[in-house]
Amino acid sequence: MKKLSILLFTMIALNGIAQNVEFEKKNFPGRKDELNEAKDNIKKGDEIFEQGEAYYRDALPFYLKAQNFNPNNAKLNFKIGLCYLHSFEKKKAYDYILKAFQLDPSVDPKIRYYMGRVYHLNSEWDKAIQEYSACLNTIKSKEEIKDVNKKIQECNSGKILSQNPIRVWVDNLGPEVNTSFNEYSPVITADESVLMFTSRRPGGVGNKMDESKNEYFEDVWVSYKVGKKFSQAVNLGPPVNTENHDAAVCLSPDGQKLITYQGGVNGGDLFISYLVGKQWSKPENLGKAINTKYHESSASFSYDGKILYFVSDREGGYGGHDIYYAEINEKGKFEKAVNIGPVINTEYDEEGVYMMPDGKTMYFASKGHNSIGGYDVFKTTFENGQWTKPVNLGIPINTPDDDAFFALAGSGRRAYYSSASLGGYGGMDLYKITILGPEKQPLLNTEDQLLAMSAKPVTNLKVEQAVEVTKPKMTLLKGIVYDAKTNEPLEAILNLIDNEKNVILASFKSNAATGKYLVTLPSGKNYGIAVQREGYLFHSENFNLPADADYQEVTKDIPLKKIEIGNTIVLKNIFFDFDKATLRPESFNELDRLVKLLTENPTIKVELSAHTDSKGSDEYNMKLSQKRAESVVNYLIGKGISADRLIAKGYGETQPIDTNDTEEGRQNNRRVEFKILSAK
Amino acid sequence: MSACRPIASALKNKLCIFAKKFFMKNVILTISILCFSIFSYSQSDTVKIAANLTPEQIAQNDYNSGLNYLNNNNPSMAIQLFTQALQNMPNFEKAYYNRSLCYIQLKNYPEALKDINQAIQLKPSDEYYFTKSLIFFHQNQKDSLEQTLLKTLVINPNHAEANYYLGMLYFNYQDYDKALSYYQKAIQSKSDYAYAYNDLASTYLMKNDIDNAIKNYELAAKYAPNQAFIFNNLGSAYRQKKDYNKAIEAYSKAIMLDNNYFIAYINSGATRLEKGDIVGAKSDFEKVIQKDPRNSAAYNGLAGVYIKEKDYKKAKEMATRAIELNPDNGQAYYNRGIARQMLREEDAACEDWQKALKLGITPAKSFISTDCAD
């Protein structure tokens, strides 16, 4: 007997692990009441569990209570693991699934698959591949085989990307933005001053639960940048939010247009609202060119507002949700939607499309390409008429779980996205990613005495490569339009002109309540900007950006002057050949604007004056400026303006408006001005 | 020379008194005594006149004595003798020349210039022009230096030192092609001109011709095997070529020749760090600190080591110490900025990079534009 006991004990010890313990009386002598309670909890949990995946998290508390009583039941551990795998706390499934297998390797036909899942979610790539490969021997259905092979591929991608993690800081946006409920789909203005996002928290419009998901309905919430943090988020309210699902989809770069998703409409459709003063307008359906009976879920405008990129799972795509685009014609209507093509779209789902304000870089989420699990964020650029092969943004931005809705700020240095796998306040949270670029190398005080006689120490600096950061080549121009006399903010139209091609690229409006405007100017063009409002003289600005001009933010407040005697404007988009009075073609747009102003105000008489900097003799500058003023006047006369309304005057260098000691100052002094002499 | 005169005077006085006493008694005796006095005088320099030496000979004697003093590092005495020589022989151009050398030693360049000009006037030789150029060299008058050196070469194109100095001048002007040409001429005239090999190598280095730099540093080392700075330069050339082992070997040799040559330790540490030998780098910097606890460059080196080890707290500490010891250590500000950024002290990091940029560390500019734009 003694030998048998020793043998049994040895066998148990050699096993080294707990055995599967069923919820039976014989296993819990003298604990009948506790046992019954545990079994009761399991039963309650099962009832909820059987309602479907949406309810798994409600079954969890019951299972966990039973688990407290008996932590060594294989089936219970397996169910708890499954519940966690279908929640936003997927990583917690790890211990339970592995324990379930240890307790009973035959606990479930799919146990090896789920072991693969938990290893996968924990980035243990080799172990995950091992388990996935093992379960290939047991499954028969083509779909399941395809799924497992896909997951093996994802693990292989994960292994490769793990070798070169991206240097980033990932910071939770804090309790002002996140809650224990889900927050996702952040949308941000180019200058990061306004953040909107979708949340399934209580307190929304309607404040109702979606029974199918056991979560509150989606609503759009908004938060504003204050210093380096975001303010307490508030519900955007009606009319944008309704009693159904309303999700934030995209903001135009200037923050004046908002696209939302409404889930209760036509399979899920996209709507647009406009910011009028401080109020958002009632969302309008984007129409048939965009919305179908299928699911349209996310969208993004191009920088000039002329193309809308969006996601749909309509028929005729490459599989699942795909990215499409539709151009906006001159009448503001959408042209036919076109699939963006197989370079970007895969047989799996694409989602969360986001176009950068630089006009050529796109971010999107995909379950295809070389995703390492679920949705991953990818980047592609439009070059030479086509999209480049999408590049995975890498670890830790991408994880084995879903990572989507990536919105990069205009500076290119920060991005916002939602993730469920980083802890946080519960569910999906919003995070800010700061992209650090490659590791910065230290500089040391090395020294050499290169010349023997003088023994002059010469310091050798180790010149480092510039930090490579995804930095768009563009200028962010923002400011306030206001009345020059009263300082009241004004709503005005800003026309963005390509001076070389003499075309209006885009039109924007400043906000009626605040006068604020925001325009993005991709590098590589000579831009004219004309700010117009009825009753006022137009304001002219010029930005000549070389192709390699780096990202910069320029704040320029714009005063508008009324059409009154004595008011003067500087015409910054009038160009002459060097040392001559010949008008260059890039000037015609501005001059035509002048013609229009004079035509619409037939009684005003004006002086067109030309000025030079101080280089060259006084006499020469006088002559040149007079000729230039006459060139402008001749152009206007040629366009039908009566000569007796126009005076051409050259002032040479006699009326500088800036210093002549710097090139910038001299450039400001070389100008053409327009002054109202009389209005009768 | 001058010591004899007071003694002779005293003797003369005494003899005169004696002579007066005995004058009436013994005129012949008096005359004899006078002759004796004159004889006594013949032992001093002034008596050489009486011994029938020409002024030229006297001048030569003074000149030789002057040379003696000059060679024994007593330029003040030498000047007096040369001056005397010139009194007796006003066209003694060698005396002007050597007196000029004395004034150069005494850093009295205006007087040196006067004398060398006199020498040149009397005899426009390459050596005199070269000496004149040295005066301009010391006064940092580059235009005059260049002209005078070129003048030297007109007279003697193979003047090794003149070619060498011109090489140096053009190196400073960053006209490396001209510098190369003159250094090569110097070497052609003097095949073991170690300094010329060194400077030639440095010129190749500035032109990024590392192989030729190494070749010429090796030659400089061959002809001046005890000069630590040459091995240091050789090490830096190997480092630029990324031949880290040879670089470290050269720096070690420099240290062996002068184990207080901290520059070589710092360079060696930097090389080891580049190579990935963090332990070795740390050891180099710590050795400097042991010998020179106030060495800012060494503390900055340790800051670099800790950055590589990702111990940013320690890195910040070391960089801060480097700055305390030398507030103009731009590299230390740069490194402290890196450490601070990784410690999430982003505003402070930006301040440090701004400071580094102000101190001339241009790589900080890219960090400021990408990471500090807010």
Side-chain angles (χ1 to χ4, degrees):
Chain A
M1 189 62 190
K2 197 176 175 186
K3 282 183 185 174
L4 188 60
S5 303
I6 292 168
L7 183 63
L8 271 171
F9 179 79
T10 308
M11 281 172 66
I12 290 165
L14 281 173
N15 279 339
I17 324 157
Q19 302 275 306
N20 184 31
V21 177
E22 296 294 347
F23 284 88
E24 289 170 359
K25 236 194 282 188
K26 63 180 179 189
N27 294 326
F28 300 98
R31 295 175 75 187
K32 184 182 167 189
D33 289 343
E34 288 172 81
L35 173 63
N36 285 338
E37 192 185 334
K39 284 166 82 169
D40 198 39
N41 276 322
I42 291 173
K43 191 178 169 194
K44 284 178 185 168
D46 284 345
E47 279 166 9
I48 301 170
F49 188 88
E50 275 147 28
Q51 290 180 53
E53 289 172 9
Y55 292 89
Y56 281 10
R57 69 166 184 272
D58 292 335
L60 254 180
F62 296 103
Y63 288 148
L64 288 172
K65 277 182 191 165
Q67 178 80 355
N68 274 341
F69 174 72
N70 172 18
N72 294 318
N73 179 268
K75 238 189 194 116
L76 181 61
N77 274 283
F78 180 72
K79 279 186 187 164
I80 293 172
L82 266 193
C83 287
Y84 276 124
L85 276 176
H86 290 90
S87 73
F88 289 108
E89 298 178 288
K90 290 186 174 76
K91 282 194 171 181
K92 284 188 176 177
Y94 186 88
D95 290 333
Y96 295 102
I97 295 290
L98 294 183
K99 190 164 183 185
F101 179 76
Q102 273 175 4
L103 289 168
D104 178 6
S106 62
V107 62
D108 189 277
K110 291 183 82 175
I111 184 66
R112 302 301 291 268
Y113 174 80
Y114 286 113
M115 283 171 69
R117 285 295 293 134
V118 298
Y119 282 131
H120 188 172
L121 287 165
N122 206 40
S123 303
E124 292 180 65
W125 312 113
D126 288 328
K127 284 181 180 171
I129 290 169
Q130 194 179 332
E131 295 308 319
Y132 285 138
S133 302
C135 76
L136 274 175
N137 297 327
T138 55
I139 53 176
K140 299 243 177 345
S141 93
K142 275 186 188 170
E143 269 179 25
E144 283 180 318
I145 292 171
K146 190 180 174 190
D147 173 53
V148 170
N149 281 326
K150 171 85 168 56
K151 287 194 163 44
I152 292 172
Q153 195 185 342
E154 286 168 1
C155 289
N156 281 322
S157 297
K159 272 177 77 171
I160 294 168
L161 290 175
S162 296
Q163 285 163 18
N164 291 301
I166 306 300
R167 286 178 10 112
V168 295
W169 290 323
V170 181
D171 297 306
N172 190 293
L173 286 184
E176 294 82 5
V177 172
N178 291 314
T179 64
S180 57
F181 300 89
N182 287 323
E183 283 76 35
Y184 47 92
S185 186
V187 295
I188 193 113
T189 52
D191 64 352
E192 299 173 78
S193 60
V194 180
L195 168 74
M196 290 191 189
F197 58 93
T198 308
S199 179
R200 301 193 81 152
R201 63 181 74 176
V205 171
N207 201 30
K208 291 190 308 195
M209 287 287 276
D210 174 357
E211 301 291 331
S212 66
K213 296 270 186 189
N214 196 26
E215 287 184 75
Y216 284 95
F217 274 75
E218 290 175 332
D219 257 11
V220 179
W221 294 70
V222 64
S223 176
Y224 301 94
K225 194 96 171 280
V226 178
K228 290 197 172 184
K229 293 189 80 175
F230 281 98
S231 64
Q232 185 63 45
V234 294
N235 190 286
L236 199 58
V240 173
N241 285 324
T242 65
E243 292 197 355
N244 287 313
H245 290 296
D246 310 289
V249 166
C250 92
L251 264 178
S252 57
D254 63 0
Q256 306 283 320
K257 286 182 269 199
L258 171 67
I259 292 186
T260 54
Y261 161 86
Q262 289 188 14
V265 179
N266 203 25
D269 273 1
L270 296 171
F271 288 71
I272 187 164
S273 298
Y274 301 91
L275 186 62
V276 180
K278 290 183 180 177
Q279 273 297 311
W280 286 98
S281 66
K282 187 176 174 191
E284 300 164 15
N285 193 299
L286 280 177
K288 286 181 189 167
I290 306 296
N291 290 318
T292 63
K293 63 182 179 178
Y294 299 93
H295 186 234
E296 281 75 35
S297 56
S298 79
S300 179
F301 280 109
S302 60
Y303 88 99
D304 57 5
K306 289 190 172 169
I307 302 176
L308 183 73
Y309 297 87
F310 65 98
V311 169
S312 173
D313 67 349
R314 63 189 64 185
E315 284 178 346
Y318 289 89
H321 286 78
D322 273 5
I323 297 173
Y324 291 79
Y325 70 91
E327 292 185 19
I328 301 166
N329 62 27
E330 282 162 7
K331 293 178 186 169
K333 300 285 177 201
F334 287 106
E335 303 284 343
K336 188 174 178 221
V338 177
N339 189 294
I340 207 167
V343 171
I344 291 174
N345 289 323
T346 67
E347 60 177 307
Y348 303 98
D349 285 321
E350 277 69 47
E351 187 51 89
V353 63
Y354 174 75
M355 273 304 288
M356 275 286 285
D358 69 353
K360 59 180 191 167
T361 307
M362 178 195 284
Y363 292 88
F364 65 96
S366 173
K367 289 184 177 177
H369 298 289
N370 60 334
S371 162
I372 66 172
Y375 280 111
D376 272 7
V377 185
F378 292 84
K379 173 188 160 184
T380 176
T381 49
F382 195 70
E383 289 171 17
N384 302 317
Q386 54 194 12
W387 293 99
T388 57
K389 186 176 174 208
V391 172
N392 191 303
L393 288 198
I395 291 167
I397 293 173
N398 287 320
T399 69
D401 206 345
D402 283 330
D403 311 287
F405 305 110
F406 184 88
L408 197 69
S411 66
R413 200 177 162 248
R414 275 180 301 280
Y416 297 83
Y417 84 148
S418 46
S419 180
S421 59
L422 300 172
Y425 292 85
M428 291 198 85
D429 272 7
L430 295 184
Y431 292 84
K432 177 180 77 174
I433 298 167
T434 306
I435 300 164
L436 294 173
E439 230 173 271
K440 291 179 170 70
Q441 299 301 317
L443 278 187
L444 303 187
N445 300 91
T446 54
E447 221 179 293
D448 298 302
Q449 293 176 306
L450 292 179
L451 294 184
M453 277 296 275
S454 61
K456 217 182 273 186
V458 172
T459 41
N460 282 331
L461 292 179
K462 190 169 175 297
V463 177
E464 295 301 322
Q465 292 290 330
V467 171
E468 269 196 292
V469 171
T470 306
K471 216 159 63 98
K473 301 231 181 253
M474 59 176 234
T475 295
L476 198 71
L477 174 68
K478 59 182 183 176
I480 295 173
V481 181
Y482 64 98
D483 184 299
K485 215 179 214 175
T486 65
N487 289 327
E488 292 285 316
L490 293 173
E491 182 185 274
I493 293 174
L494 292 90
N495 282 329
L496 183 65
I497 299 137
D498 180 336
N499 279 336
E500 274 160 39
K501 292 186 181 164
N502 198 13
V503 293
I504 295 179
L505 291 168
S507 288
F508 305 89
K509 257 192 201 175
S510 58
N511 185 278
T514 62
K516 281 186 180 177
Y517 74 93
L518 192 153
V519 176
T520 56
L521 308 174
S523 301
K525 279 198 197 326
N526 180 347
Y527 293 99
I529 297 178
V531 186
Q532 294 168 284
R533 183 184 163 96
E534 202 180 312
Y536 289 82
L537 294 172
F538 66 84
H539 180 96
S540 162
E541 287 294 337
N542 176 266
F543 283 88
N544 193 354
L545 301 174
D548 58 353
D550 281 333
Y551 176 83
Q552 57 171 341
E553 285 190 18
V554 175
T555 301
K556 194 158 189 68
D557 292 337
I558 295 175
L560 289 186
K561 299 176 184 175
K562 287 231 165 99
I563 301 176
E564 288 172 355
I565 295 170
N567 276 345
T568 307
I569 53 169
V570 179
L571 300 167
K572 294 193 182 171
N573 292 290
I574 305 240
F575 308 101
F576 297 94
D577 284 340
F578 178 70
D579 216 25
K580 292 186 181 163
T582 318
L583 281 163
R584 292 171 61 92
E586 299 93 276
S587 316
F588 295 159
N589 204 293
E590 185 103 312
L591 288 167
D592 289 342
R593 200 163 18 259
L594 203 48
V595 168
K596 189 165 180 263
L597 177 75
L598 289 164
T599 306
E600 287 172 359
N601 296 276
T603 59
I604 62 173
K605 289 186 180 176
V606 301
E607 176 189 271
L608 277 308
S609 61
H611 304 256
T612 66
D613 59 27
S614 64
K615 285 197 170 181
S617 69
D618 293 357
E619 192 191 335
Y620 177 81
N621 284 335
M622 272 301 194
K623 278 188 184 158
L624 178 65
S625 58
Q626 180 62 35
K627 281 186 189 165
R628 284 180 169 179
E630 284 165 8
S631 286
V632 173
V633 162
N634 288 339
Y635 182 94
L636 297 174
I637 292 170
K639 289 283 183 167
I641 305 297
S642 169
D644 61 8
R645 296 173 62 194
L646 308 168
I647 293 176
K649 184 94 173 102
Y651 286 95
E653 57 185 85
T654 59
Q655 294 186 1
I657 54 171
D658 204 335
T659 176
N660 275 304
D661 293 335
T662 63
E663 179 46 39
E664 193 189 332
R666 287 192 290 277
Q667 195 171 339
N668 287 335
N669 287 332
R670 296 190 294 267
R671 69 196 188 281
V672 172
E673 285 185 354
F674 163 97
K675 182 176 174 183
I676 298 181
L677 297 175
S678 73
K680 286 179 188 173
Chain B
M1 144 189 88
S2 56
C4 296
R5 286 200 176 147
I7 297 167
S9 292
L11 189 58
K12 184 181 163 189
N13 285 337
K14 281 183 182 173
L15 286 170
C16 283
I17 292 162
F18 184 77
K20 278 179 186 171
K21 283 185 178 175
F22 289 97
F23 184 72
M24 294 307 291
K25 288 188 178 178
N26 199 336
V27 171
I28 294 168
L29 184 60
T30 304
I31 290 168
S32 300
I33 289 166
L34 280 171
C35 287
F36 175 75
S37 299
I38 289 165
F39 179 74
S40 299
Y41 274 59
S42 73
Q43 303 314 302
S44 73
D45 290 349
T46 49
V47 179
K48 281 174 187 169
I49 297 168
N52 291 321
L53 288 176
T54 64
E56 290 77 16
Q57 284 169 322
I58 295 167
Q60 189 65 50
N61 281 340
D62 285 339
Y63 173 78
N64 290 341
S65 300
L67 277 183
N68 205 32
Y69 279 112
L70 179 58
N71 286 332
N72 285 300
N73 284 324
N74 191 341
S76 303
M77 287 299 292
I79 284 172
Q80 286 187 38
L81 282 159
F82 292 135
T83 306
Q84 266 179 221
L86 284 165
Q87 281 167 0
N88 282 304
M89 200 167 137
N91 291 334
F92 198 171
E93 111 277 334
K94 281 190 185 171
Y96 279 118
Y97 168 66
N98 282 288
R99 196 169 70 173
S100 170
L101 292 182
C102 293
Y103 282 125
I104 290 173
Q105 269 196 36
L106 293 170
K107 297 191 190 342
N108 185 343
Y109 299 118
E111 289 300 319
L113 194 60
K114 273 187 209 166
D115 275 349
I116 202 65
N117 279 335
Q118 287 283 8
I120 287 170
Q121 220 174 15
L122 292 164
K123 183 185 173 189
S125 78
D126 58 342
E127 209 47 51
Y128 296 166
Y129 273 111
F130 180 68
T131 302
K132 184 174 175 177
S133 74
L134 285 182
I135 297 167
F136 292 129
F137 174 80
H138 287 297
Q139 291 181 300
N140 204 24
Q141 290 181 24
K142 290 191 175 135
D143 288 341
S144 302
L145 170 65
E146 186 179 5
Q147 281 167 29
T148 322
L149 286 170
L150 289 169
K151 211 57 178 273
T152 310
L153 291 178
V154 165
I155 299 168
N156 177 11
N158 296 322
H159 194 289
E161 284 77 17
N163 277 303
Y164 174 74
Y165 273 78
L166 272 170
M168 261 201 308
L169 186 70
Y170 289 119
F171 184 98
N172 278 317
Y173 284 156
Q174 296 180 22
D175 188 340
Y176 298 122
D177 289 332
K178 271 192 177 159
L180 276 181
S181 160
Y182 282 107
Y183 283 134
Q184 279 160 347
K185 282 179 195 164
I187 287 166
Q188 273 164 17
S189 306
K190 193 167 151 191
S191 61
D192 62 347
Y193 203 164
Y195 282 13
Y197 280 113
N198 176 79
D199 289 18
L200 178 65
S202 297
T203 312
Y204 277 120
L205 203 64
M206 299 309 284
K207 283 170 68 72
N208 286 320
D209 183 347
I210 313 290
D211 289 333
N212 268 322
I214 289 172
K215 180 176 141 196
N216 284 287
Y217 280 134
E218 303 264 14
L219 284 165
K222 177 183 165 190
Y223 294 116
N226 295 322
Q227 293 293 339
F229 78 90
I230 293 175
F231 288 97
N232 177 66
N233 291 344
L234 178 63
S236 296
Y238 276 122
R239 182 157 59 89
Q240 268 193 251
K241 201 180 173 183
K242 303 213 186 297
D243 190 339
Y244 297 125
N245 290 335
K246 287 212 168 121
I248 291 166
E249 200 182 302
Y251 290 133
S252 299
K253 179 82 187 189
I255 290 165
M256 217 168 66
L257 289 168
D258 177 0
N259 70 358
N260 287 327
Y261 191 31
F262 301 132
I263 291 171
Y265 279 105
I266 303 287
N267 288 344
S268 172
T271 307
R272 288 182 199 276
L273 203 61
E274 262 177 71
K275 190 185 160 189
D277 175 10
I278 293 181
V279 171
K282 205 188 254 189
S283 164
D284 277 339
F285 298 128
E286 283 172 350
K287 276 180 195 157
V288 175
I289 289 170
Q290 270 170 19
K291 290 169 182 282
D292 178 11
R294 297 189 62 78
N295 192 301
S296 175
Y299 279 104
N300 184 50
L302 284 176
V305 163
Y306 287 118
I307 285 173
K308 287 294 219 183
E309 285 188 329
K310 298 190 188 350
D311 186 346
Y312 299 113
K313 200 170 159 211
K314 243 0 242 191
K316 178 181 155 185
E317 214 178 285
M318 292 296 117
T320 301
R321 184 74 186 123
I323 290 165
E324 281 166 5
L325 291 168
N326 176 11
D328 291 333
N329 191 336
Q331 285 91 334
Y333 278 106
Y334 181 92
N335 290 337
R336 194 171 70 173
I338 294 174
R340 279 179 151 166
Q341 186 189 46
M342 297 314 290
L343 291 169
R344 303 302 300 264
E345 297 168 16
E346 290 154 90
D347 289 343
C350 292
E351 278 172 26
D352 275 346
W353 287 328
Q354 291 280 6
K355 186 77 191 194
L357 185 64
K358 275 191 189 145
L359 289 167
I361 308 298
T362 47
K365 199 173 179 187
S366 71
F367 293 169
I368 292 166
S369 73
T370 55
D371 298 0
C372 304
D374 312 323

